[in-house]
Amino acid sequence: MAGSGTALYAAGMIVRPRPSGLGLVFALRGSILPMIATRLAVIVLLSCVVVWLHHIWPVHVGVASVAPFTLLGLGLSIFLGFRNNSCYNRWWEGRQQWGALISTSRSFLRDINALLPEDDPLRRRAAHRIGMFAHALRTQLRGSQTQPAPDWLPAGGWARPVRNRPGLLLSELASEFAERMRAGEISDISYRLFSDHMTTMTSIQGACERLRATPMPFAYSLMLHRTVWLFCLLLPFGMVDILGLGTPLLTLVLAYSFLGLDALGEELEQPFSATPNGLPLDAMVRIIDIAVAETLCDPTPEPLHPQNFVLL
Amino acid sequence: MAGSGTALYAAGMIVRPRPSGLGLVFALRGSILPMIATRLAVIVLLSCVVVWLHHIWPVHVGVASVAPFTLLGLGLSIFLGFRNNSCYNRWWEGRQQWGALISTSRSFLRDINALLPEDDPLRRRAAHRIGMFAHALRTQLRGSQTQPAPDWLPAGGWARPVRNRPGLLLSELASEFAERMRAGEISDISYRLFSDHMTTMTSIQGACERLRATPMPFAYSLMLHRTVWLFCLLLPFGMVDILGLGTPLLTLVLAYSFLGLDALGEELEQPFSATPNGLPLDAMVRIIDIAVAETLCDPTPEPLHPQNFVLL
Amino acid sequence: MAGSGTALYAAGMIVRPRPSGLGLVFALRGSILPMIATRLAVIVLLSCVVVWLHHIWPVHVGVASVAPFTLLGLGLSIFLGFRNNSCYNRWWEGRQQWGALISTSRSFLRDINALLPEDDPLRRRAAHRIGMFAHALRTQLRGSQTQPAPDWLPAGGWARPVRNRPGLLLSELASEFAERMRAGEISDISYRLFSDHMTTMTSIQGACERLRATPMPFAYSLMLHRTVWLFCLLLPFGMVDILGLGTPLLTLVLAYSFLGLDALGEELEQPFSATPNGLPLDAMVRIIDIAVAETLCDPTPEPLHPQNFVLL
Amino acid sequence: MAGSGTALYAAGMIVRPRPSGLGLVFALRGSILPMIATRLAVIVLLSCVVVWLHHIWPVHVGVASVAPFTLLGLGLSIFLGFRNNSCYNRWWEGRQQWGALISTSRSFLRDINALLPEDDPLRRRAAHRIGMFAHALRTQLRGSQTQPAPDWLPAGGWARPVRNRPGLLLSELASEFAERMRAGEISDISYRLFSDHMTTMTSIQGACERLRATPMPFAYSLMLHRTVWLFCLLLPFGMVDILGLGTPLLTLVLAYSFLGLDALGEELEQPFSATPNGLPLDAMVRIIDIAVAETLCDPTPEPLHPQNFVLL
Amino acid sequence: MAGSGTALYAAGMIVRPRPSGLGLVFALRGSILPMIATRLAVIVLLSCVVVWLHHIWPVHVGVASVAPFTLLGLGLSIFLGFRNNSCYNRWWEGRQQWGALISTSRSFLRDINALLPEDDPLRRRAAHRIGMFAHALRTQLRGSQTQPAPDWLPAGGWARPVRNRPGLLLSELASEFAERMRAGEISDISYRLFSDHMTTMTSIQGACERLRATPMPFAYSLMLHRTVWLFCLLLPFGMVDILGLGTPLLTLVLAYSFLGLDALGEELEQPFSATPNGLPLDAMVRIIDIAVAETLCDPTPEPLHPQNFVLL
């Protein structure tokens, strides 16, 4: 049914049902596993060496020597939990801002459609500029376009070379609105309405720039990353006395969850990156393209669909 | 008493008092138990096998070998706690957005009722469109209607085929308001008031689409799901030495709480799904139908009541 | 001093200083103890039986068999901590919404007082309707009135029988304002100002209905409630080997904190219930009555004072 | 440099650098230590008695009897952590509301200065009323004035005796603005601007009253307070077997952190109290006095400076 | 590509990729290590002494004496986790406020550019004042300028000596706008639009002053700082019996993570300080300078680039 279409194409980059049974064990696509495979191999190798050393040179380290590791490991879990929560919040705020951009663009388009006279060329130009804002913001956050652009996008790059291109788009639009206001074609209340939409768009741009340019404090990430490494490297020594041959297995499981969360946090920290867990900016830009087209009664482009489970 | 009616019919899907005593033990409806029964059976079976193996082939694994499981289990609890909190927040945000839709619809209806002249057919049309927005959003989020629709809903599907049907409803409404404004029947301040209500509705639509289309990062869910499984599968091996015959019982309790939270998180992650813990969209759409009817002094439909403890 | 009066009468239902010394041990009023006394008795009885059984039939369960209980108990603490935090947030949001209702009512009254001409009967009628809104919302959330109502409240029930009575009050008010606007007595800007106050009030109503009608997901509460019970029932078995005769005491303390938090969460989940820890809706409605009276220069009613430490 | 002055005088009540080295050990001012000294003494005394009893009557309680205390203690840490976080959020919200009051007062003063004609006596009167609002709110929250008041404050108490004095100030101001509007001296848009500032101020007042009058649910505080006490009292019994003579020391450290956090939470729960960790309301009222003076080009009073590390 | 430039120059002070491999171990720049090096040395030295004492005078402290340390350490982790989260939130709110200042400045500049007639000298003056606001706020928060200022900044200090210089800038601007309004050059709606931008800027200023002047409650920081120290000092005594020669290593790792988080929290608590993890105020002021220049079509200054990984 067509009505349920809009929501479907704004999905996160990995779009697949959660696998079950054996599929679960071997699912790699969208997993964090490939990213930390090398590190895990190092840890497992180390713990095998430790088991072997312990076998040929059995020093009894003490009956409960796993206790300090429990202390370190749980402290680490707590700090890692808070950090991961903050990274997830950054990712989710990125999605919220882009969702707000979609909503604002739609409201802005609706008001332009209703308030500007049918025969005013500004109407079409303004709608296109709203679409261009999303394209420009996407380019600013992620780099050059990979999807076919709508034909109203200027092919050979855009006009005046400025640092803040999305800002320029709105600035020129505001000047045109003010001109119409001075000509008495729209009231100052209508200008204010348009200006409020543009203020919202500028705030969204500022928030996206903030998320992109200010990662979590470097010292914080570095300290947790270091402690996770140290913990995983020391783990086999602490467990070999108790677990014997089971050491590599449990070390692997623990290292998987700790290194995995650390790596995942690092990825979610940058919600606009083009990694498999980044946000699908291209698909969201396309939703705005569709809104522009439906406002102008132009032929609407197709929404983007995930390819090989990945939506860009 | 009629006055206390409004609040009663916006309940969550499972509407039942918390059972007590034996009822608590055997309550299945609305419990997460049926969903994880198979998994629990696997775990219990496994732990029985482990106990039997340990009985016929008693390897002493070490005096405190449960310690690594404590470490893994508590780390997992912390990560699962944060994830479940985030899933619950998604569910609750879904409810907040629909609550905001009810409030905005009521405020919008009130202003239309007050500001449009009594004999203007737009008045009735606009009220119906506000009701249709809720129906269209519900359809977009959950699929085809299951409840009898009010008679003012277009029976054979709705007009122009567009991707964003709720958006089209508002867009046409805005054009009619602008027409009235140009005709001098409402002031530009009133247009702005209506436009603000519509901007709120568009934001709510955007937020609902965001919640529906962007689940938590796939790698995050997958990693936690995997670790929970690994933890539950390894648990009997760690506890058999200490607990002996009590192993299956405690394994069951632990697996119940870990697998249950994992499954529940997965369900709350999608607040608009038609599962027993999803949000009662139908009941909330009906509240808006009632608001439309009371504004137009039409006969009001009955609020929905839970059937077999479930409200859709 | 009179100036410090306003803040004092909006207190929570239990209004008493925290007892100290022996008073602390025996304080029952406002404690969660009476509510969970039966459950605690069951647990203590069970643990006495377990100690006695262990004495006459001493099976050595294992040197560290408390470890699985630590794992279960701490996992539970974490999940319970998150759930209780969410329940507290619901309670606090309920208080925030009623605080916002007080503030909005005051601001609305101020603007009505300033903008409507002194001899307009709408002035007094509008002020009364704002007060009636609070009374109607209170009735919708908690049921029939227990406090003496101000004399301007319609004694024999209110006019038209509608489902959404607070909504009707605002709707009729809006129509009267629009009439004045069409008569040129107030400007469209002033109508917008009044409309914004009413939109805020409608949002508050919607949020209160949301809190009342949508508890936390039933499966979530049920699962935690079950796990807490299971944990408390199993606890004596796990500790008897280590603690011996001290088992009932420590079981009691642990069960007190776990069952107590569970019961308290359940109570805070419904902030508008008439339980000892519910919100003092009557006292807050009275604050709005006072604001109405002070605006109209009528004799002001007395604020409500706690009776037997409880404020309704 | 004068430009950096504003930020410096809005500090928390305790204004001192964190001591280091030995200073750290003995710093008492601003510490929570004096408040819990008696309780700590009781605990230490008890644990000395326990050690002595254990010495003369050595019952071996079990090899790992500290485990139940770990379970209880960590559960308690989690619940205490959440509660302290909520108390801190209350304290911080109090500061945010007063920060918002400073900002709103400044913006309101700026608009009054710009929009009211230079020779209108309302200009000076309105500025003074904005300052009086802060003084009245401070009095409502904390009681009688301790700082020298500006000379424009009415010396012998303020006019009409009402319960809600800050509200009366705004109400009278609104009536005067409406009068000017009817006289055509300011537009309805300007009235709306002033009204919005006053709505913000009323919201701030409501939020402060909420924080002052509604502490955390009594049952919640009571239960945690009781459990902390029980935990600290039982602690020596659990640790004496393992730690021997070291028991009092470790008990002290643990009791210090648990009782300290409990006491601190209780103090932060009431952000407007005149305790050493309360908010510096006097200093913030003075900032608003300065803003009033700078708007009217009157001589500006001195900002408050901390005395003996404490800012009121 | 020029379009992606805006986001890049608003980075945090430490701008470097996370090192890997050996680089990770030895990275010092931006690490918290140099700040806590002395403290760590003290702890390691102490634990060496403890090991040596234990070697020459082996008192068996008990088989599981690490348990009380686990209890203390995990409780501490939880409290430290909450505190660090709050400190991070302060830091992030600082960044959000400055991001909002950038967005508001851009929106304000856009509206001034569109609404003021081309030949009005106020246009250029207003744009400069918006830029001066950011410079003045930066000076207020951090002290004297270190970067070359744009040539439109008054070289010999700024006009009237007032405490609240950013406020004076806006106040004078508002008076000029009101003058234009009275002269009929801009409408009251436009004044309101400008006033709203200025209200936002004043709120941002208030929030920044709040973050700078009100650290976390002194008693809270002090108590955690003390407990962390005590914990680290007692740690070797608790672990020497179990870990023997491994004691200094594990003590170092644990002390590194606990003291490191404590020191980092202290640093993030003051987001505007000129430490390596502070916010890059200079770079953000420069972004606003660029926005001013692009609005006035003046030559745009270069964005700031990190020097030696540090951006001021």
mmCIF file of all heavy atoms in Angstrom, chain A residues 8-31:
data_model
loop_
_atom_site.group_PDB
_atom_site.id
_atom_site.type_symbol
_atom_site.label_atom_id
_atom_site.label_comp_id
_atom_site.label_asym_id
_atom_site.label_seq_id
_atom_site.Cartn_x
_atom_site.Cartn_y
_atom_site.Cartn_z
ATOM 1 N N LEU A 8 9.174 3.862 5.462
ATOM 2 C CA LEU A 8 10.059 2.732 5.218
ATOM 3 C C LEU A 8 11.427 3.133 4.714
ATOM 4 O O LEU A 8 12.389 2.398 4.887
ATOM 5 C CB LEU A 8 9.392 1.795 4.208
ATOM 6 C CG LEU A 8 8.305 0.953 4.843
ATOM 7 C CD1 LEU A 8 7.528 0.224 3.794
ATOM 8 C CD2 LEU A 8 8.949 -0.034 5.808
ATOM 9 N N TYR A 9 11.541 4.276 4.048
ATOM 10 C CA TYR A 9 12.825 4.551 3.420
ATOM 11 C C TYR A 9 13.715 5.476 4.217
ATOM 12 O O TYR A 9 14.679 5.983 3.730
ATOM 13 C CB TYR A 9 12.664 5.061 1.977
ATOM 14 C CG TYR A 9 11.658 6.151 1.773
ATOM 15 C CD1 TYR A 9 12.055 7.471 1.801
ATOM 16 C CD2 TYR A 9 10.324 5.864 1.539
ATOM 17 C CE1 TYR A 9 11.145 8.477 1.582
ATOM 18 C CE2 TYR A 9 9.412 6.865 1.323
ATOM 19 C CZ TYR A 9 9.830 8.175 1.337
ATOM 20 O OH TYR A 9 8.934 9.174 1.129
ATOM 21 N N ALA A 10 13.411 5.654 5.482
ATOM 22 C CA ALA A 10 14.315 6.455 6.304
ATOM 23 C C ALA A 10 15.077 5.576 7.283
ATOM 24 O O ALA A 10 15.458 6.002 8.346
ATOM 25 C CB ALA A 10 13.522 7.519 7.047
ATOM 26 N N ALA A 11 15.287 4.330 6.913
ATOM 27 C CA ALA A 11 15.891 3.371 7.839
ATOM 28 C C ALA A 11 17.365 3.647 8.076
ATOM 29 O O ALA A 11 18.004 4.375 7.325
ATOM 30 C CB ALA A 11 15.721 1.975 7.272
ATOM 31 N N GLY A 12 17.901 3.088 9.162
ATOM 32 C CA GLY A 12 19.328 3.154 9.439
ATOM 33 C C GLY A 12 20.075 2.394 8.361
ATOM 34 O O GLY A 12 19.489 1.700 7.527
ATOM 35 N N MET A 13 21.404 2.538 8.406
ATOM 36 C CA MET A 13 22.160 2.009 7.276
ATOM 37 C C MET A 13 22.046 0.499 7.152
ATOM 38 O O MET A 13 21.916 -0.025 6.067
ATOM 39 C CB MET A 13 23.604 2.424 7.411
ATOM 40 C CG MET A 13 23.771 3.915 7.181
ATOM 41 S SD MET A 13 25.485 4.345 6.954
ATOM 42 C CE MET A 13 25.601 4.304 5.177
ATOM 43 N N ILE A 14 22.126 -0.204 8.271
ATOM 44 C CA ILE A 14 21.955 -1.651 8.211
ATOM 45 C C ILE A 14 20.469 -1.933 8.338
ATOM 46 O O ILE A 14 19.871 -1.631 9.373
ATOM 47 C CB ILE A 14 22.682 -2.346 9.368
ATOM 48 C CG1 ILE A 14 24.148 -2.020 9.343
ATOM 49 C CG2 ILE A 14 22.437 -3.833 9.306
ATOM 50 C CD1 ILE A 14 24.893 -2.703 8.273
ATOM 51 N N VAL A 15 19.885 -2.479 7.312
ATOM 52 C CA VAL A 15 18.460 -2.759 7.353
ATOM 53 C C VAL A 15 18.275 -4.251 7.164
ATOM 54 O O VAL A 15 18.223 -4.753 6.043
ATOM 55 C CB VAL A 15 17.717 -1.982 6.257
ATOM 56 C CG1 VAL A 15 16.221 -2.207 6.391
ATOM 57 C CG2 VAL A 15 18.025 -0.511 6.368
ATOM 58 N N ARG A 16 18.212 -4.991 8.236
ATOM 59 C CA ARG A 16 17.982 -6.426 8.107
ATOM 60 C C ARG A 16 17.336 -6.919 9.381
ATOM 61 O O ARG A 16 17.545 -6.360 10.456
ATOM 62 C CB ARG A 16 19.279 -7.173 7.844
ATOM 63 C CG ARG A 16 20.338 -6.959 8.898
ATOM 64 C CD ARG A 16 21.601 -7.703 8.576
ATOM 65 N NE ARG A 16 21.364 -9.134 8.605
ATOM 66 C CZ ARG A 16 22.311 -10.040 8.408
ATOM 67 N NH1 ARG A 16 23.539 -9.665 8.142
ATOM 68 N NH2 ARG A 16 22.038 -11.312 8.473
ATOM 69 N N PRO A 17 16.522 -7.957 9.263
ATOM 70 C CA PRO A 17 15.947 -8.513 10.479
ATOM 71 C C PRO A 17 17.053 -9.144 11.317
ATOM 72 O O PRO A 17 18.104 -9.533 10.798
ATOM 73 C CB PRO A 17 14.973 -9.564 9.958
ATOM 74 C CG PRO A 17 15.477 -9.910 8.602
ATOM 75 C CD PRO A 17 16.129 -8.679 8.066
ATOM 76 N N ARG A 18 16.837 -9.217 12.595
ATOM 77 C CA ARG A 18 17.817 -9.835 13.456
ATOM 78 C C ARG A 18 17.857 -11.332 13.140
ATOM 79 O O ARG A 18 16.828 -11.988 13.140
ATOM 80 C CB ARG A 18 17.375 -9.649 14.907
ATOM 81 C CG ARG A 18 18.527 -9.600 15.866
ATOM 82 C CD ARG A 18 18.044 -9.879 17.246
ATOM 83 N NE ARG A 18 17.833 -8.641 17.978
ATOM 84 C CZ ARG A 18 17.797 -8.619 19.303
ATOM 85 N NH1 ARG A 18 17.939 -9.718 20.009
ATOM 86 N NH2 ARG A 18 17.592 -7.489 19.935
ATOM 87 N N PRO A 19 19.021 -11.876 12.817
ATOM 88 C CA PRO A 19 19.079 -13.297 12.458
ATOM 89 C C PRO A 19 18.806 -14.146 13.698
ATOM 90 O O PRO A 19 18.914 -13.694 14.823
ATOM 91 C CB PRO A 19 20.507 -13.475 11.961
ATOM 92 C CG PRO A 19 21.284 -12.380 12.581
ATOM 93 C CD PRO A 19 20.331 -11.249 12.846
ATOM 94 N N SER A 20 18.454 -15.398 13.466
ATOM 95 C CA SER A 20 18.183 -16.278 14.598
ATOM 96 C C SER A 20 18.879 -17.600 14.355
ATOM 97 O O SER A 20 19.317 -17.904 13.259
ATOM 98 C CB SER A 20 16.682 -16.493 14.749
ATOM 99 O OG SER A 20 16.198 -17.086 13.574
ATOM 100 N N GLY A 21 19.000 -18.395 15.392
ATOM 101 C CA GLY A 21 19.619 -19.707 15.275
ATOM 102 C C GLY A 21 21.058 -19.582 14.812
ATOM 103 O O GLY A 21 21.810 -18.722 15.279
ATOM 104 N N LEU A 22 21.435 -20.432 13.879
ATOM 105 C CA LEU A 22 22.819 -20.418 13.413
ATOM 106 C C LEU A 22 23.137 -19.131 12.676
ATOM 107 O O LEU A 22 24.256 -18.645 12.723
ATOM 108 C CB LEU A 22 23.075 -21.621 12.497
ATOM 109 C CG LEU A 22 23.261 -22.943 13.253
ATOM 110 C CD1 LEU A 22 23.537 -24.067 12.273
ATOM 111 C CD2 LEU A 22 24.411 -22.823 14.242
ATOM 112 N N GLY A 23 22.134 -18.581 12.002
ATOM 113 C CA GLY A 23 22.343 -17.327 11.292
ATOM 114 C C GLY A 23 22.920 -16.278 12.232
ATOM 115 O O GLY A 23 23.777 -15.474 11.872
ATOM 116 N N LEU A 24 22.460 -16.332 13.449
ATOM 117 C CA LEU A 24 22.913 -15.377 14.438
ATOM 118 C C LEU A 24 24.407 -15.481 14.683
ATOM 119 O O LEU A 24 25.125 -14.491 14.809
ATOM 120 C CB LEU A 24 22.162 -15.630 15.743
ATOM 121 C CG LEU A 24 22.571 -14.772 16.912
ATOM 122 C CD1 LEU A 24 21.983 -13.404 16.756
ATOM 123 C CD2 LEU A 24 22.122 -15.398 18.203
ATOM 124 N N VAL A 25 24.865 -16.720 14.738
ATOM 125 C CA VAL A 25 26.271 -16.938 15.081
ATOM 126 C C VAL A 25 27.179 -16.449 13.973
ATOM 127 O O VAL A 25 28.266 -15.926 14.216
ATOM 128 C CB VAL A 25 26.512 -18.437 15.353
ATOM 129 C CG1 VAL A 25 27.940 -18.668 15.803
ATOM 130 C CG2 VAL A 25 25.533 -18.938 16.397
ATOM 131 N N PHE A 26 26.724 -16.617 12.727
ATOM 132 C CA PHE A 26 27.641 -16.336 11.635
ATOM 133 C C PHE A 26 27.383 -15.019 10.914
ATOM 134 O O PHE A 26 28.100 -14.680 9.985
ATOM 135 C CB PHE A 26 27.607 -17.504 10.644
ATOM 136 C CG PHE A 26 28.093 -18.774 11.272
ATOM 137 C CD1 PHE A 26 27.240 -19.837 11.514
ATOM 138 C CD2 PHE A 26 29.425 -18.891 11.675
ATOM 139 C CE1 PHE A 26 27.694 -20.996 12.115
ATOM 140 C CE2 PHE A 26 29.883 -20.050 12.281
ATOM 141 C CZ PHE A 26 29.014 -21.103 12.502
ATOM 142 N N ALA A 27 26.348 -14.282 11.354
ATOM 143 C CA ALA A 27 26.091 -12.999 10.707
ATOM 144 C C ALA A 27 27.301 -12.088 10.875
ATOM 145 O O ALA A 27 27.750 -11.843 11.987
ATOM 146 C CB ALA A 27 24.850 -12.343 11.294
ATOM 147 N N LEU A 28 27.829 -11.608 9.773
ATOM 148 C CA LEU A 28 28.990 -10.712 9.843
ATOM 149 C C LEU A 28 28.628 -9.312 9.402
ATOM 150 O O LEU A 28 29.090 -8.331 9.956
ATOM 151 C CB LEU A 28 30.115 -11.240 8.955
ATOM 152 C CG LEU A 28 30.829 -12.468 9.522
ATOM 153 C CD1 LEU A 28 31.916 -12.897 8.568
ATOM 154 C CD2 LEU A 28 31.422 -12.136 10.881
ATOM 155 N N ARG A 29 27.779 -9.239 8.369
ATOM 156 C CA ARG A 29 27.391 -7.963 7.785
ATOM 157 C C ARG A 29 26.696 -7.110 8.845
ATOM 158 O O ARG A 29 25.709 -7.541 9.428
ATOM 159 C CB ARG A 29 26.398 -8.300 6.680
ATOM 160 C CG ARG A 29 26.279 -7.335 5.643
ATOM 161 C CD ARG A 29 26.400 -7.185 4.328
ATOM 162 N NE ARG A 29 26.733 -5.776 4.233
ATOM 163 C CZ ARG A 29 27.780 -5.346 3.615
ATOM 164 N NH1 ARG A 29 28.581 -6.167 3.021
ATOM 165 N NH2 ARG A 29 28.027 -4.067 3.582
ATOM 166 N N GLY A 30 27.168 -5.954 9.117
ATOM 167 C CA GLY A 30 26.526 -5.108 10.107
ATOM 168 C C GLY A 30 26.993 -5.421 11.510
ATOM 169 O O GLY A 30 26.662 -4.716 12.450
ATOM 170 N N SER A 31 27.745 -6.486 11.654
ATOM 171 C CA SER A 31 28.295 -6.800 12.974
ATOM 172 C C SER A 31 29.548 -5.962 13.199
ATOM 173 O O SER A 31 30.166 -5.455 12.274
ATOM 174 C CB SER A 31 28.626 -8.285 13.055
ATOM 175 O OG SER A 31 29.487 -8.527 14.141
#
